Amino acid sequence: MFVPIERKKVSSQVLDQLKKMIKEKTFPPESRLPSEHELSKMFGVSRAPIREALSVLSASGLIESRQGGGSYVKRVNLVGMLDPMTF
């Protein structure tokens, strides 16, 4: 019996990477995340999956988006980051 290969959405992969970078303090609390354009260049993807990942991070309370001011990492406890997030 064959087990199907799981393909992860690009936005899910971006989300995983951003969560890891926040957890490892590449982006420490209170720091500003790079712009959507910079993140898309960094990950080699279009801005759509970046926006989707950022919206999930925002909805989960890990980042705060400020209109015209970018996205900032919120100060949170690590327990919340360890819970699995899905789209």
Side-chain angles (χ1 to χ4, degrees):
M1 207 36 55
F2 290 101
V3 177
I5 302 298
E6 184 180 332
R7 290 181 182 247
K8 285 183 86 172
K9 287 176 60 175
V10 172
S11 56
S12 180
Q13 294 178 57
V14 170
L15 175 64
D16 290 344
Q17 286 296 314
L18 286 172
K19 281 174 39 181
K20 182 179 177 189
M21 294 169 97
I22 291 169
K23 183 178 175 185
E24 294 174 347
K25 299 203 185 320
T26 302
F27 301 126
E30 312 296 326
S31 69
R32 185 178 186 276
L33 291 177
S35 69
E36 286 179 5
H37 178 72
E38 292 168 318
L39 287 170
S40 70
K41 285 173 60 176
M42 192 166 97
F43 290 114
V45 299
S46 70
R47 287 174 50 194
I50 299 295
R51 277 190 219 108
E52 197 171 329
L54 290 176
S55 73
V56 172
L57 288 173
S58 181
S60 65
L62 292 178
I63 65 168
E64 172 185 39
S65 295
R66 301 177 189 165
Q67 189 167 358
S71 298
Y72 290 81
V73 178
K74 291 176 77 174
R75 194 170 291 282
V76 295
N77 66 22
L78 287 177
V79 174
M81 285 186 68
L82 299 177
D83 294 335
M85 280 189 273
T86 56
F87 285 98

